[in-house]
């Protein structure tokens, strides 16, 4: 009550912000007459003048009115578009690092030119982030005309660009690109081995277009750069054959092999299912007789089995993915676009490829990853714009510290939103949709029909074909034509079917958009100026007639074929109608067979339908129904928010570690000489080794001097007669021995590189250090993945999983840093310097030996003999020449070592990366 009274007295936070912005709009408007009198050259001279003022200490807020007035005047002259007052307000909200919620058709693309120009005056660069490559290229060309006129450089980054072009684009004052490309380039920069290979400069200011799509919808999955891991593609095919033989359970406790939980989007094998799977695998020769799926050796089979069941029961063709050119391509569930190059992780993509019979690509291992949340939080200042942010305002504030400002529309919005109509069956629902479309078509009213999957869009297209209604289908399979289809979706009698409103960023103009046709006429060299003017006038007259016809028919009519999980996506679809004060209408049609109602609101609404005794074919239309559906959507939104929040909380741990590693890498890349760092690392490692064998505060009898000498020689190639030193000087203790060892190793290291150019040595040291960091960081990421997958089980031990994850991740990070130091020291101490002549001589001898000795079986006994007891090492003699042709069976004399087990030689590496390589 008090809050309501205060709001009535002082206005809401949003009202107060708008009041402040409007005062500044008055200042900008006061400058307009003065700026109109300037010549083009005088207007262009404003840029260097403003840059100088910023360099001399003026803040961006001080020069904002003049900068905005400059851009407004340039927009009028170059594009024939004058920024409305509300667009200036939106530009100020973006400049202050806020989210501007502006309705569809309010000109968000033009708004972005204001803060991007103002912030580019600092010379630190501005990134304008769009949802797809088409919009990035279009906006860089279209809005870039204003910036280029004012003397700003404009770049665009898209996939598969030439490295030099991409570097030039990032050096521009304003750079357009997609969220994926900016994120991947950040990861690539932190995998670079030379300064010249990096693309981005500092992350200064980002304006995110369709901010809700990028920072909310796409934030559930991290960006991952991966490399190929081990080949296990054949196993996916063999498991795939078995999956159809397993039966799903109709209910959770009913008989069957597995239960599909649509709400949690997961599958669980029953006890019966495990037994059946074991039996099928026994018959297929995948599982030995009597073995269990739960045996440690069969964990990989369990992983493949679950991936196969999920692929068959949760992921459907033309809904979650499409098959194109022998490839499974993921479809974005929010935009309906194909996501080329993206793959599901944990073997799911391979399982879907096996299901569809396409070629299976190898599994991958993570080389670098980051979530969008943590990437965009790296910018010094972040802002965004969208038509639908208010429903997610809490999340923007909580995760990104971004405030949402609702910008009023330029003209009053007059769209008529009807209540949802709910039917019992999908068949009745589709019949009602076709009737509605027929009615609109007869009256000449354009229709935009929204669906949530490709499957539904094609089903509705088939029904429209049967009725003889011409239409356009816009889904992932036609994304190349999406802008053209959306541009003309406002023509009379035009019926457009769109998946999750793909084509955002392109306005639907009532009567169709005449601009593409006008541009073609203007660029036609066969016509003279008077002919061009006449043709353009005819096109405009025709558009005026069509526009009036559509307005009289009621404007664009939106039909939703089902509700999306998020209210925001529904609002995006509705928002396509009634732009800039145009008329428009919308209605959603639902059935109890829709996924959302089936999972969340089905039983309650079915009971209402039953109580009201609604006959078949009739719809229920009431506010109670609409509210019930909105409550279901809120539940899903809350669950999705929890998923994103949890992903972020876990990634925050990796993020802190990522910042440390990437800062260390960048420091290495930019350093010419790291010899001091190497010396410090070497001292630390050797000092720790001495402490291991001669602990502090211990007596001489507890020292392992022989072990220390062996360790120093075998691991760090340092011969240190510690026993002789101790005999010669009884006052020696651990720290003094460590000093002598460090001194001896430093001298040996310096002597080794005496005749080598210092610059070559520094380059080599840097390369070794970088390689070691990258190798251990990759392994660390894999270890964090494994840790996270099982950490929830700690909850059963009354422990907090997140705290346990943070603690163990910190310990793993410490262990990784120690491993890097040991690895670098071992490598640099062990390297041998040879002249070119010596190398050539060694190669010649090796070649001669290979010609003389034929049919010899080479074996590296290090790993095998390390398994045997000390002193019990058998040395196998080479068989006599005449016996070599007889193939004797191989008999293993020691325990088998798994490829991922620690190598028995004690190096600390996995067997496959140590002695297993030689095998």
């Amino acid at each position: 009550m008090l809050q309501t009274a205060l709001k009535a007295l002082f206005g809401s936070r949003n009202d107060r912000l708008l009041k402040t912005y409007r005062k500044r709009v008055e200042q900008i408007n006061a400058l307009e007459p003065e700026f109109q009198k300037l010549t083009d050259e005088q207007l262009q001279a404003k840029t260097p003048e403003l840059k100088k003022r910023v360099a001399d200490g003026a803040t961006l807020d001080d020069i904002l009115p003049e900068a905005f007035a400059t851009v407004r005047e340039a927009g009028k002259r170059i594009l024939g578009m004058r920024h409305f007052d509300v667009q200036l307000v939106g530009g100020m909200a973006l400049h202050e690092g806020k989210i501007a919620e502006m309705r569809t058709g309010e000109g968000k693309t033009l708004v972005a030119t204001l803060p991007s120009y103002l912030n580019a005056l600092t010379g630190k660069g501005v990134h304008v982030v769009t949802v797809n490559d088409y919009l990035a290229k279009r906006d860089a060309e279209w809005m870039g005309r204003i910036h280029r006129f004012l003397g700003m450089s404009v770049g665009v980054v898209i996939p598969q660009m030439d490295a030099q072009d991409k570097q030039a684009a990032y050096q521009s004052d304003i750079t357009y690109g997609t969220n994926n490309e900016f994120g991947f380039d950040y990861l690539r920069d932190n995998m670079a081995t030379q300064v010249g290979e990096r693309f981005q400069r500092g992350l200064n200011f980002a304006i995110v277009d369709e901010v809700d799509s990028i920072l909310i919808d796409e934030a559930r999955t991290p960006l991952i750069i991966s490399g190929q891991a081990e080949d296990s593609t054949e196993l996916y095919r063999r498991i795939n054959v078995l999956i159809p033989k397993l039966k799903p359970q109709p209910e959770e406790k009913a008989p069957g092999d597995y239960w599909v939980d649509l709400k949690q989007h997961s599958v669980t094998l029953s006890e019966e299912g495990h037994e059946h799977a074991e039996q099928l695998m026994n018959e297929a020769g995948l599982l030995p007789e009597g073995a269990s799926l739960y045996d440690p050796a069969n964990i990989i089979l369990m992983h493949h089995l679950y991936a196969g069941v999920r692929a068959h029961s949760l992921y459907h063709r033309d809904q979650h993915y499409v098959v194109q050119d022998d490839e499974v391509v993921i479809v974005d569930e929010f935009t309906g676009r194909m996501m080329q190059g993206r793959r599901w992780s944990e073997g799911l993509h391979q399982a879907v490829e096996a299901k569809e019979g396409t070629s299976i690509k190898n599994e991958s291992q993570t080389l670098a990853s980051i979530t969008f949340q943590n990437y965009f939080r790296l910018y010094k200042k972040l802002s965004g714009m969208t038509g639908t942010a208010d429903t997610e305002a809490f999340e923007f504030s909580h995760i990104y510290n971004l405030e949402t400002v609702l910008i009023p529309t330029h003209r009053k919005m007059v769209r008529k939103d009807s209540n949802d109509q709910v039917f019992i069956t999908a068949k009745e629902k589709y019949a009602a949709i076709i009737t509605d479309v027929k009615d609109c078509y007869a009256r000449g009213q354009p229709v935009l029909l929204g669906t949530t999957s490709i499957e539904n869009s094609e089903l509705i297209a088939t029904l429209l074909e049967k009725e003889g209604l011409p239409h356009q289908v816009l889904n992932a399979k036609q994304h190349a034509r999406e802008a053209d289809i959306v541009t003309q979706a406002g023509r009379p009698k035009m019926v457009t079917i769109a998946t999750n409103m793909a084509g955002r960023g392109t306005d639907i103009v009532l009567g169709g958009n005449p601009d593409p046709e006008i541009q073609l006429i203007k660029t036609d060299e066969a016509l003279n100026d008077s002919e061009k003017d006449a043709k353009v006038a005819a096109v405009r007259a025709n558009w005026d007639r069509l526009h009036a016809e559509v307005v009289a028919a009621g404007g664009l009519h939106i039909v939703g074929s089902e509700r999306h999980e998020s209210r925001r996506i529904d609002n995006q679809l509705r928002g396509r109608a009634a732009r800039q004060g145009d008329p428009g209408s919308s209605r959603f049609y639902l059935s109890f067979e829709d996924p959302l109602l089936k999972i969340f609101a089905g039983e309650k609404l079915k009971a209402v339908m039953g109580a009201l005794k609604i006959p078949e074919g009739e719809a229920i239309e009431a506010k109670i129904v609409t509210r019930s559906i909105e409550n279901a959507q809120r539940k899903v939104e809350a669950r999705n928010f929890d998923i994103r929040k949890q992903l972020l909380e876990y990634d925050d741990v990796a993020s802190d570690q990522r910042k440390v590693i990437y800062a260390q890498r960048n420091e290495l890349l930019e350093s010419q000489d790291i010899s001091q760092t190497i010396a410090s690392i070497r001292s630390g490692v050797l000092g720790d080794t001495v402490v291991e064998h001669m602990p502090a505060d211990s007596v001489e009898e507890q020292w392992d001097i022989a072990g220390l000498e062996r360790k120093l020689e075998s691991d760090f190639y340092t011969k240190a007669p510690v026993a002789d030193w101790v005999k010669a000087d009884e006052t020696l203790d651990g720290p003094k021995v460590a000093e002598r060892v460090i001194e001896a190793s430093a001298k040996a290291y310096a002597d080794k590189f005496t005749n080598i150019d210092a610059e070559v040595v520094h380059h080599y040291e840097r390369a070794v250090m970088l390689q070691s960091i990258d190798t251990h960081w990759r392994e660390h990421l894999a270890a964090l993945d494994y840790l996270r997958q099982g950490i929830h089980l700690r909850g059963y031990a009354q422990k907090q999983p997140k705290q346990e994850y943070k603690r163990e991740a910190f310990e793993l990070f410490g262990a990784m840093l120690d491993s890097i130091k040991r690895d670098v020291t071992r490598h640099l101490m062990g390297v041998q310097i040879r002249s070119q002549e010596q190398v050539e001589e060694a190669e010649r001898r090796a070649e001669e030996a290979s010609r003389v000795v034929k049919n010899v079986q080479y074996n590296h006994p290090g790993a095998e003999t390390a398994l045997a007891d000390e002193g019990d090492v058998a040395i196998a003699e080479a068989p006599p020449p005449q016996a070599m042709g007889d193939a004797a069976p191989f008999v293993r004399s020691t325990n088998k070592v798994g490829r991922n087990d620690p190598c028995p030689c004690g190096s600390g590496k996995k067997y496959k990366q140590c002695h297993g390589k030689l095998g």
Side-chain angles (χ1 to χ4, degrees), residues 837-855:
E837 292 78 19
Q838 288 171 314
V839 171
E840 286 170 3
E841 176 64 19
E843 283 176 353
R844 188 181 60 76
R845 284 181 184 169
E847 202 175 315
E848 280 178 9
S850 68
R851 278 203 300 269
V852 173
V853 184
K854 299 286 181 188
N855 298 323

Side-chain angles (χ1 to χ4, degrees), residues 111-156:
V111 169
T113 57
L114 297 160
S116 55
Y117 173 78
L118 174 62
N119 284 269
L121 294 169
T122 61
K124 293 176 183 173
V126 173
H127 291 172
V128 183
V129 187
T130 64
V131 289
N132 63 33
D133 298 331
Y134 162 74
L135 290 176
K137 286 185 278 192
R138 184 201 73 175
D139 295 354
E141 176 54 40
W142 185 24
M143 295 298 143
R145 287 163 64 192
I146 295 176
H147 296 308
R148 282 188 278 267
F149 171 77
L150 291 172
M152 292 285 182
S153 56
V154 179
V156 59

Side-chain angles (χ1 to χ4, degrees), residues 7 140 160 271 360 419 457 535 540 611 649 657 671 876 884:
K7 194 181 275 188
Q160 279 86 49
E271 196 60 45
I360 302 175
N419 282 332
S457 67
K535 285 204 166 195
R540 290 199 187 281
E649 283 172 349
Q657 298 177 0
S671 302
M884 281 188 173

Side-chain angles (χ1 to χ4, degrees), residues 99-399:
I99 289 173
E101 183 184 289
M102 302 180 74
R103 295 289 175 125
T104 302
E106 290 293 303
K108 291 187 285 292
T109 311
L110 188 62
V111 169
T113 57
L114 297 160
S116 55
Y117 173 78
L118 174 62
N119 284 269
L121 294 169
T122 61
K124 293 176 183 173
V126 173
H127 291 172
V128 183
V129 187
T130 64
V131 289
N132 63 33
D133 298 331
Y134 162 74
L135 290 176
K137 286 185 278 192
R138 184 201 73 175
D139 295 354
E141 176 54 40
W142 185 24
M143 295 298 143
R145 287 163 64 192
I146 295 176
H147 296 308
R148 282 188 278 267
F149 171 77
L150 291 172
M152 292 285 182
S153 56
V154 179
V156 59
V157 291
I158 50 174
Q160 279 86 49
M161 255 181 110
D162 183 69
Q164 286 178 319
D165 293 342
K166 186 172 272 191
Q167 283 170 333
Y170 276 115
Q171 290 304 313
S172 303
D173 294 310
I174 296 154
T175 308
Y176 287 82
T178 63
N179 49 321
N180 287 343
E181 204 58 20
F182 282 127
F184 281 133
D185 284 339
Y186 170 75
L187 293 176
R188 287 183 197 114
D189 281 0
N190 287 292
M191 293 168 70
T193 54
Q194 291 174 27
V195 173
E197 290 175 6
R198 293 187 299 189
F199 299 119
Q200 295 181 343
R201 42 185 175 154
L203 302 178
N204 177 45
F205 175 49
I207 301 169
V208 183
D209 192 10
E210 306 298 2
V211 67
D212 54 327
S213 175
I214 290 171
L215 297 192
I216 302 285
D217 297 338
E218 298 209 19
R220 274 198 285 173
T221 49
L223 287 176
I224 297 171
I225 291 182
S226 55
Q228 282 199 352
E230 296 166 44
D231 182 13
S232 58
T233 54
E234 187 53 37
L235 193 50
Y236 284 105
R237 284 205 181 86
R238 295 180 69 185
I239 293 280
N240 183 63
V241 178
L242 309 180
I243 305 297
K245 297 175 185 175
L246 298 172
K247 292 178 184 173
Q249 295 168 281
E251 291 175 13
E252 194 169 356
K253 303 293 181 186
D257 295 325
Y258 60 91
W259 163 245
V260 181
D261 188 341
L262 292 172
K263 194 180 285 191
Q264 298 297 331
H265 202 63
S266 64
V267 290
T268 313
L269 256 68
S270 63
E271 196 60 45
E272 186 184 328
H274 280 113
E275 289 171 10
H276 192 188
E278 282 178 0
Q279 180 199 330
L280 290 171
M281 286 182 183
N282 278 331
E283 290 167 7
L286 291 169
L287 196 65
E289 194 67 43
S292 165
L293 267 175
Y294 289 105
D295 291 346
N298 299 325
I299 274 301
I300 192 76
L301 287 177
M302 199 71 173
H303 166 76
H304 281 67
L305 177 64
Y306 263 99
V309 175
R310 287 177 69 210
H312 277 262
S313 55
L314 292 174
Y315 291 82
H316 307 294
R317 187 170 179 162
D318 287 344
Q319 184 177 346
H320 299 101
Y321 62 90
V322 293
V323 178
Q324 202 175 64
D325 302 328
D326 192 37
E327 195 179 345
V328 170
V329 184
I330 301 172
V331 171
D332 188 323
E333 63 175 301
F334 296 102
T335 63
R337 289 194 180 91
M338 287 195 292
M339 299 156 84
Q340 293 286 358
R342 288 233 197 151
R343 292 176 68 78
W344 288 303
S345 57
E346 295 175 12
L348 176 61
H349 209 99
Q350 286 80 1
V352 172
E353 285 169 335
K355 178 179 109 174
E356 292 296 341
T358 64
S359 52
I360 302 175
K361 294 187 175 69
N362 282 358
E363 283 192 59
S364 55
Q365 69 175 105
T366 302
L367 304 181
S369 82
I370 193 169
T371 56
F372 280 126
Q373 290 108 318
N374 274 322
Y375 172 67
F376 282 107
R377 292 196 304 186
L378 293 169
Y379 282 90
K380 287 177 190 152
K381 185 163 73 173
L382 176 66
S383 65
M385 49 192 183
T386 179
T388 47
D390 197 35
T391 54
E392 313 291 349
F394 173 75
E395 183 167 350
F396 283 124
S397 172
H398 185 72
I399 289 181

Side-chain angles (χ1 to χ4, degrees), residues 784-797:
L784 286 183
D785 274 347
Y786 289 131
L787 176 63
R788 197 179 143 197
Q789 283 168 22
I791 202 72
H792 65 278
L793 297 172
R794 304 285 174 92
Y796 292 114

Side-chain angles (χ1 to χ4, degrees), residues 9 73 84 183 203 256 259 349 472 497 534 542 705 725 772 776 785 798:
L9 189 62
E73 187 58 35
F84 304 135
L203 302 178
W259 163 245
H349 209 99
Q472 294 265 33
I497 304 169
N542 184 48
I705 290 173
W725 293 344
S772 183
H776 284 87
D785 274 347
Q798 305 299 308

